[in-house]
Amino acid sequence: MREYELLIDGETLSRTERETVNDPSSNQPVSSIALANESDVTSAVEAAESAFERWRTVDTVSRGHYLRDIAAELRTRKTEIAQRHTEETGRSLLDSKRSVEYAAEYFEYYAGLTHRINGETIPLSHEEFDYTRREPLGVTGHIIPWNSPLLLGSRSIAPALACGNTVVAKPAQLAPMSILELGRAARDAGLPDGVLNVVSGSGSTAGEALVTNEKVQELTFTGSKTVGLHIRNLVSDRLIPLNLELGGKSPNIVFADADLEAAADGAVKLFSNAGQSCYAGTRLFIEDDIYDEFIDHVVSRIEAMDVKKDPNETEISALISPSAQSEVSSYVESAIEAGGSITTGGRIPFGEGNFYEPTLIENVPDDAAVSCEEIFGPVLTAFRFDSEQEVVERANDTEYGLYASVWTTDLNRANRITEHLEAGTVTVNNYASPIPQVPFPAYKQSGIGSEYATAALNHYTKIKNVRMTVDRTLR
Ligand code: NAP
Ligand code: MG
């Protein structure tokens, strides 16, 4: 078993309080992780606060170099970090290597933007000169989920550092290794001590200690709506910026005029990472005229997917934990009770590991639990629709608003539908993964704040306006 310790102020600190991480595809223990207590979190925040005084003065070009060095270190250690990522998430090594590359891309992308953290000049009267500065916030807290830990951690840590902030990161207990590896890689790449600290530990202890620490000037949380709202309540007496990146129940709408092969490929993207993705297209709306034909396309793709115990051979990875597996089972049972039918899948394929077959459910009402709640498993629910008006209403009939997708060859229709869908991202004729260059905003209960692209630079800085009287008389 590998041992992982806390990373505070550049030091690895061992703790006797520990937690075991299990491999989701075998449930065998793979590592022992130090658990941070409240005073460890306090030390991490204090280290980050004192490092901030130096880090904020590092010029933007040098800050860019630091971020590029982190990216290079991640690439150098790609195989090793990917192995840990596979052990903690159950995803294939290939998939995990891609995650390391994406993580590196976040650091490279924001490295390139450090010199674009611009203010503006505002013309006033002849005697006045006004300009704005974008200043860093201070210590930022990052609470990270298990479903794609390295990538989701990097997407907020990279812009926070680029803007001159320091970081205390709290990875998920179920999958902390790749974030601890990121911390080590950053330290070994030369990032000054205290600029990036990692406090592995539980949400209720380490997470809450971070959230309630008054020296923390910003919080980024990615995870469930329940915990997100709880965190918002915990900070309700402090005016700090909050990024809450929460769940989704995304509609994927296929019109009869679409390229059905491409749309079916898009529909089954849900099954990558076993549906454990916030923007997964879990509600598949199919126009009546092509419903049966399209279902055939989807079923043939699902039935060609192999579920195997070896994470490098399976097309559907294991679910994160035994309890996640039984939750998915209960959802599928509830669909049958609600009058639904299982077209394919619907079973636990073997006793070992937390696998679940890729599953298609039909004929459930819109108000069934499987139609409304985030399942976070390999379960797709198909619905039939007749008109644009109807499908837009049903697609929007959810508390979430993270992502939506439309498949049609009619440009006018694509524009009409995208305008009316209540989602932060709408894709047309693709089901694309989020990338650093484009924003990933959230509507409704899917979140607040802004990650990705230049929006993140605004989030991780505050504006100072400087208004100056100028004597313009030449002497
Ligand atoms: P979660 O249970 O909400 O946990 C997320 C993180 O919060 C973990 O690190 C957890 O620690 C910590 N936490 C739990 N209770 C806490 C508390 N009281 N105070 C502070 N921190 C606390 O979410 P999850 O089950 O890991 O992740 C799945 C959810 O994330 C889904 O809803 C998914 O849609 C959402 N998600 C959203 C996005 C997005 O970009 N919008 C991306 C990915 C995932 P522990 O380790 O102790 O659990
Ligand atoms: Mg949880």
Side-chain angles (χ1 to χ4, degrees), residues 19 44 55 80 109 112 125 204 210 224 256 280 301 310 355 402 454:
E19 166 98 331
W55 181 245
E80 198 192 328
Y109 176 76
S125 70
S204 52
L210 183 59
S224 61
R301 279 165 178 73
D310 182 342
F355 292 91
L402 192 59
T454 49

Side-chain angles (χ1 to χ4, degrees), residues 146 174 224 227:
W146 47 261
L174 292 168
S224 61
V227 177

